[in-house]
Amino acid sequence: MLPNPNAAPAKIGVLASGNGSNFEALIQAIADGLIRAEIPIVIYNNPDAAVAARAQRWGIPAVLLDHRQYQSREAFDFDVVQTLAQYGVEWIVMAGWMRRVTKVLIDRFPHKAINIHPSLLPSFPGIRAIEQAIAAGVKIAGCTVHLVTLEVDAGPILMQAAVPILPDDTSETLHARVQLQEHAILPRAVKLAIGQ
Ligand code: GAR
């Protein structure tokens, strides 16, 4: 499908738990005119997440929803969905969102929630993917951008990049190289998914 130059910019809500370097790669690509989109809201769930300051620097509202304040994953996702709705969000990008999502969120954004994961899925889903790859002794690590489904890190794959594991790699050195690839493929995969 060819992009429609007259389409309104897609409204992307970003969910992030930590540093926010992938958020910044995405907003930079939008600012550079590579993706026809806007990010009206960033939701974060850890009070000290650096993503909040990054969002502030870009003039984007950052809303803290602390999952520890909720009785269930569903109640938390309900508030996430409500908050996204207030900002007219059409697509979600999970840029380091370290929460398992529920049907509450998936049903509201069917095939419209995108996640980035630091492994070549379906290898090494779940937490500590970089450490899992090093422990397994594989020689190629990488990252995956995929659509989110209820099963953790298992939805349809949009894009992947491979990163060789070097003999002296620690989880930190490997993650740093994986992140360079994440920053390259996340904007491209988002553009592919939203079609503009
Ligand atoms: C990224 O490496 C992302 O792939 C990972 O968290 C990091 C966030 O970095 N996500 C997961 O592990 C999700 N299962 P960032 O905060 O600098 O974007």
Side-chain angles (χ1 to χ4, degrees):
M1 190 177 65
L2 282 174
N4 174 1
N6 299 318
K11 286 190 162 57
I12 301 173
V14 169
L15 308 183
S17 297
N19 183 25
S21 70
N22 279 288
F23 152 72
E24 195 131 22
L26 184 59
I27 188 70
Q28 188 66 60
I30 292 170
D32 291 346
L34 301 175
I35 308 172
R36 209 168 140 65
E38 54 192 51
I39 298 178
I41 174 77
V42 172
I43 295 178
Y44 63 109
N45 65 315
N46 290 317
D48 53 358
V51 70
R54 290 188 195 253
Q56 215 166 26
R57 280 201 296 277
W58 284 90
I60 296 173
V63 173
L64 171 65
L65 295 179
D66 187 341
H67 61 278
R68 300 163 194 86
Q69 310 288 330
Y70 293 82
Q71 297 286 349
S72 67
R73 289 185 188 277
E74 285 77 9
F76 176 65
D77 275 359
F78 184 80
D79 261 13
V80 170
V81 164
Q82 292 287 105
T83 306
L84 294 170
Q86 281 165 21
Y87 288 84
V89 165
E90 302 158 306
W91 287 84
I92 298 178
V93 170
M94 298 178 186
W97 186 240
M98 307 307 277
R99 302 293 307 157
R100 273 175 55 190
V101 299
T102 69
K103 214 167 136 34
V104 172
L105 188 138
I106 299 296
D107 284 356
R108 176 61 186 75
F109 293 93
H111 312 294
K112 290 199 161 188
I114 296 165
N115 182 46
I116 181 144
H117 182 76
S119 78
L120 290 175
L121 291 172
S123 293
F124 315 125
I127 59 168
R128 306 182 74 79
I130 297 282
E131 287 84 349
Q132 288 186 58
I134 290 175
V138 297
K139 302 300 178 203
I140 308 283
C143 49
T144 302
V145 183
H146 66 97
L147 294 176
V148 179
T149 56
L150 270 184
E151 198 182 334
V152 176
D153 299 328
I157 291 172
L158 295 169
M159 211 170 273
Q160 292 185 305
V163 177
I165 299 184
L166 306 177
D168 293 338
D169 260 335
T170 62
S171 55
E172 287 76 23
T173 59
L174 178 56
H175 194 204
R177 291 202 315 288
V178 168
Q179 287 227 287
L180 292 177
Q181 295 304 315
E182 291 187 332
H183 302 160
I185 68 167
L186 179 64
R188 289 170 52 208
V190 168
K191 183 178 176 68
L192 183 74
I194 70 176
Q196 61 188 45

